[in-house]
Amino acid sequence: MGGTGMELLPQSREALDEYLTPSGDDLEDQLSEIESWAVRTVPECVAMSVTLLEEDLTFTFVRQPPDVGEAADPAGPAPPAGGGWHALDEEGWAALARQQAAAGIASTVSLPVVHRDRVVLGIDLYACTPHAFDDRLEDLASSLGAWRDGAVTNADLAFDTRRLAEEAPQRLKERRTVEVAVGLLAARQGLDIESARSVLHSCARQAGIEDVQAALVLLALPDL
């Protein structure tokens, strides 16, 4: 996917394959279109993440070389010579953020996509130059169908969405485990799905564990 040099992270490919349904979900095509629009509008793009807000899933593309996303300075930023920054010194905070940035990323923009008065997608773009998004936000918002006034720049120079994308396959597997346990509980106890889900959640909360842990316990039982 994507002849621009930006490719899905292996974890994003795994999550996408898990998420897509045989009925022909067009999410993969939508992601590819977003990637193409983004790099056409901002050729300096080196990475892109798309988050499905309702599903809490993030899919990330990166452009080679693959070291994009690794910390530029593991020791952390050094204070500027001659003293610290004033709390309201925007240039100082920007410099601090750049020192904490992921390698190869010099600017970012986050764009929300709104449908029927509800944010449904979050699009995060990452560029290798500090001013890649200057004077391009209108074109980006228009081409991506995003809300221009909701754009936020340089909020994720550390490329945190990559970590979220890497966690997506495990999150999907945990959800599948919970769904199987809910279905089994419903069948054995004569409950509807929502009631069974509530029972599972209540048991997990009382035990002080996550729903997926309760699901694993239920699935390990010989009978309910």
Side-chain angles (χ1 to χ4, degrees):
M1 180 190 305
T4 62
M6 290 176 66
E7 301 176 357
L8 275 171
L9 289 179
Q11 296 92 338
S12 287
R13 165 50 62 190
E14 181 183 349
L16 188 60
D17 290 344
E18 178 78 7
Y19 181 83
L20 294 178
T21 63
S23 60
D25 196 317
D26 61 352
L27 175 60
E28 185 167 359
D29 290 339
Q30 291 174 353
L31 291 174
S32 184
E33 288 177 6
I34 292 172
E35 178 221 10
S36 297
W37 287 331
V39 296
R40 280 201 303 267
T41 307
V42 184
E44 300 94 330
C45 268
V46 293
M48 178 193 81
S49 291
V50 176
T51 300
L52 310 182
L53 275 298
E54 185 173 347
E55 292 83 355
D56 190 25
L57 291 174
T58 299
F59 301 91
T60 294
F61 291 80
V62 293
R63 180 176 291 178
Q64 301 303 320
D67 61 355
V68 171
E70 296 177 2
D73 183 4
W85 292 294
H86 186 277
L88 299 181
D89 183 350
E90 293 185 6
E91 286 302 317
W93 284 115
L96 173 63
R98 291 190 189 99
Q99 289 188 61
Q100 292 177 313
I105 293 175
S107 59
T108 76
V109 65
S110 301
L111 291 161
V113 176
V114 179
H115 179 65
R116 295 180 180 175
D117 299 323
R118 185 167 58 93
V119 178
V120 295
L121 284 182
I123 301 174
D124 291 272
L125 303 176
Y126 304 84
C128 59
T129 58
H131 304 289
F133 301 107
D134 292 0
D135 302 320
R136 288 171 169 169
L137 289 182
E138 292 290 348
D139 289 342
L140 272 174
S142 176
S143 62
L144 298 176
W147 179 34
R148 165 64 181 86
D149 292 342
V152 178
T153 57
N154 296 332
D156 186 25
L157 288 169
F159 202 2
D160 286 335
T161 59
R162 177 170 184 155
R163 174 183 55 79
L164 296 176
E166 290 170 344
E167 295 171 355
Q170 182 61 31
R171 188 175 293 118
L172 277 171
K173 290 175 183 176
E174 291 178 354
R175 290 179 187 174
R176 296 292 173 104
T177 298
V178 170
E179 292 304 314
V180 170
V182 166
L184 184 61
L185 183 62
R188 290 185 174 179
Q189 299 296 318
L191 302 171
D192 60 64
I193 292 297
E194 288 308 312
S195 296
R197 195 186 311 279
S198 295
V199 169
L200 177 66
H201 179 67
S202 178
C203 290
R205 185 175 55 187
Q206 291 175 14
I209 59 178
E210 299 293 328
D211 285 10
V212 65
Q213 294 172 298
L216 289 170
V217 171
L218 286 174
L219 292 173
L221 294 175
D223 201 354
L224 295 176

